[in-house]
């Protein structure tokens, strides 16, 4: 793979997770096709795409996005004359609407999580709507400063955009239980959560939801925790503009006028604690 492509992705302000994902998908394709980039044809890519049939449509489309991006870059820098991925089409994604997760269900999931770290992570994501990658980047210093201050933590989201989340008292309780068992009040610049990845969290969530006898257990994922927060925020009267800013969905350049006016609303939406009230 052309290593300068990584520099290009960074210049385009792609997140670290996106870059890792793209590299993985591209390298996987190159192994399967087994040709140099300037020798790869549209037919080769169609054969590669057909080999992905066992993957979910959303996963296939992510892989296609990575490949289209890569060959588009190669043509821009003159590495290839023709772009074989230009006409690749994403597959139809008839993804089912996610099952509504109630506050009662979320309590059950948290209580059935096997480890204190799992309970802390699920509680924090479900009460803030953070992405998994954003949660994984939080440091101990940020956490301690938050609970001894106004409970705010500035996180970096997609496109290196900053936004603020707030730690409520229930999440603090679970995090403190986790820290008492794992850090022994150790402070410093270490990450708040260690030795966990998104795949492991998904498996833990499925296991916890299964133990809780929830009908949608096998489909649950870390992203559901983010959806849970947004859904319950709406049901608790939080306006869409506030939810948009809290989840980091809007471009910072076009929504900066909402930032100051929404800070207190975002804080209230997280502090009021949908799970345990």
């Amino acid at each position: 793979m052309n290593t300068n492509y990584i520099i290009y992705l960074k210049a385009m302000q792609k997140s670290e997770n996106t870059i890792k994902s793209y590299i993985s998908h591209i390298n996987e394709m190159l192994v399967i096709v087994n040709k140099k980039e300037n020798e790869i044809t549209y037919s080769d890519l169609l054969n590669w795409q057909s080999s992905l049939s066992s993957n979910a449509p959303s996963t296939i489309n992510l892989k296609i996005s990575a490949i289209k991006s890569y060959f588009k870059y190669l043509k821009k820098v003159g590495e290839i004359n023709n772009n074989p991925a230009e006409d690749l089409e994403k597959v139809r994604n008839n993804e089912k609407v996610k099952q509504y997760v109630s506050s009662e269900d979320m309590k059950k999931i948290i209580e059935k999580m096997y480890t204190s770290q799992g309970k802390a992570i699920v509680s924090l994501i479900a009460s803030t709507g953070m992405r998994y990658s954003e949660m994984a980047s939080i440091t101990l210093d940020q956490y301690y400063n938050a609970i001894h201050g106004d409970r705010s933590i500035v996180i970096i989201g997609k496109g290196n955009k900053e936004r603020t989340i707030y730690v409520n008292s229930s999440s603090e309780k679970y995090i403190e239980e986790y820290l008492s068992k794992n850090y022994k009040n150790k402070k410093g610049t270490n990450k708040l959560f260690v030795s966990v990845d998104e795949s492991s969290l998904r498996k833990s969530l499925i296991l916890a939801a299964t133990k809780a006898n929830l009908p949608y257990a096998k489909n649950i994922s870390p992203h559901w925790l983010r959806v849970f927060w947004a859904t319950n925020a709406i049901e608790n009267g939080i306006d869409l503009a506030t939810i948009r800013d809290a989840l980091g969905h809007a471009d910072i350049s076009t929504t900066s006028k909402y930032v100051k006016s929404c800070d207190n609303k975002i804080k209230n939406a997280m502090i009021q604690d949908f799970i345990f009230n």
Side-chain angles (χ1 to χ4, degrees):
M1 190 185 78
N2 188 316
T3 54
N4 287 330
Y5 176 64
I6 300 174
I7 298 174
Y8 166 76
L9 291 177
K10 291 180 178 179
M12 294 296 100
Q13 295 191 326
K14 298 294 184 181
S15 70
E16 184 179 338
N17 282 347
T18 297
I19 293 173
K20 287 180 179 179
S21 174
Y22 273 30
I23 292 171
S24 175
H25 297 325
I26 293 165
N27 284 331
E28 177 189 76
M29 179 275 296
L30 290 173
V31 168
I32 293 173
V33 174
N34 196 26
K35 287 184 178 180
K36 294 180 180 179
E37 286 91 334
N38 62 357
E39 298 174 349
I40 294 175
T41 66
Y42 174 65
S43 294
D44 292 326
L45 294 180
L46 280 182
N47 289 331
W48 160 76
Q49 185 174 334
S50 68
S51 73
L52 305 176
S53 59
S54 61
N55 291 268
S58 58
T59 301
I60 294 174
N61 288 336
L62 285 174
K63 293 176 184 289
I64 291 174
S65 292
I67 302 312
K68 289 176 75 70
S69 170
Y70 183 51
F71 280 102
K72 183 177 180 181
Y73 162 78
L74 292 178
K75 186 174 181 182
K76 277 185 177 180
V77 297
E79 291 289 325
I80 58 175
N81 294 322
N82 297 302
N83 180 353
E86 189 172 10
D87 291 327
L88 275 184
E89 297 180 7
K90 293 184 177 181
V91 299
R92 185 172 180 177
N93 188 356
N94 294 319
E95 191 172 343
K96 294 180 180 179
V97 176
K98 287 183 170 62
Q99 173 73 35
Y100 169 72
V101 181
S102 68
S103 294
E104 287 302 315
D105 284 355
M106 190 57 67
K107 289 179 189 178
K108 293 175 183 177
I109 291 171
I110 292 173
E111 290 305 318
K112 294 295 183 180
M113 291 295 290
Y114 183 71
T115 66
S116 59
Q117 177 173 263
K119 292 180 180 181
I121 288 174
V122 173
S123 175
L124 185 59
I125 298 179
S127 60
T128 61
M130 278 190 295
R131 298 178 178 91
Y132 170 85
S133 59
E134 295 164 346
M135 175 280 302
S137 69
I138 294 176
T139 66
L140 273 169
D141 282 345
Q142 285 180 304
Y143 169 71
Y144 284 122
N145 288 337
I147 62 172
H148 293 133
D150 68 350
R151 296 190 168 272
S152 68
I153 296 176
V154 176
I155 59 175
I156 308 298
K158 286 186 175 181
N160 293 321
K161 299 165 191 170
E162 289 187 356
R163 72 178 191 282
T164 303
I165 61 99
Y166 298 86
V167 182
N168 65 33
S169 58
S170 296
S171 292
E172 179 187 352
K173 181 191 76 171
Y174 282 112
I175 293 172
E176 289 299 319
E177 289 177 1
Y178 152 68
L179 290 177
S180 68
K181 296 178 181 178
N182 292 273
Y183 277 96
K184 307 298 183 183
N185 296 321
K186 178 183 177 181
K187 297 183 180 181
T189 58
N190 294 320
K191 293 291 176 64
L192 176 58
F193 298 111
V194 295
S195 302
V196 64
D197 57 54
E198 192 166 4
S199 176
S200 297
L201 178 58
R202 183 178 186 278
K203 291 176 182 177
S204 297
L205 280 169
I206 291 174
L207 181 60
T210 299
K211 289 181 177 179
N213 296 316
L214 300 180
Y216 49 81
K218 67 179 181 179
N219 297 318
I220 200 166
S221 69
H223 184 67
W224 281 48
L225 306 178
R226 186 166 156 84
V227 173
F228 165 83
W229 185 84
T231 303
N232 282 271
I234 291 173
E235 291 195 347
N236 281 270
I238 308 302
D239 62 89
L240 286 174
T242 299
I243 295 170
R244 176 189 57 193
D245 289 343
L247 295 178
H249 280 161
D251 187 291
I252 196 66
S253 66
T254 59
T255 59
S256 58
K257 62 182 180 181
Y258 292 97
V259 174
K260 292 183 180 180
S261 63
C262 285
D263 275 351
N264 287 334
K265 291 181 180 179
I266 293 172
K267 180 176 181 179
N268 290 336
M270 294 179 184
I271 294 297
Q272 68 177 268
D273 190 356
F274 304 137
I275 303 175
F276 295 96
N277 279 345

